Amino acid sequence: MSAVEYTRCDGDGCGRVTPDEPESYMHEDGWARVTVWGGDCYDLCPDCAAKALSAVGIGGER
């Protein structure tokens, strides 16, 4: 039996996990893959994504 790996939120102190596989075409609604100039990538749950976007003046917190 093979293990299924789920995406863990990279938000500071979060650690929330997606209910869908990372490579699934049905990635969990609201999750964000953030690429920072320089090559670093982060996966953020909906709440952490909203906070990150709000911190740079895009949108508002949920």
Side-chain angles (χ1 to χ4, degrees), residues 26-45:
M26 295 289 289
H27 196 66
E28 174 66 6
D29 187 42
W31 279 68
R33 165 68 51 95
V34 179
T35 303
V36 178
W37 192 30
D40 293 332
C41 291
Y42 302 90
D43 289 302
L44 300 174
C45 73

Side-chain angles (χ1 to χ4, degrees), residues 1-21:
M1 183 175 198
S2 62
V4 176
E5 292 184 19
Y6 297 91
T7 303
R8 183 173 297 277
C9 180
D10 293 320
D12 188 32
C14 184
R16 202 165 142 186
V17 178
T18 64
D20 295 325
E21 299 175 53

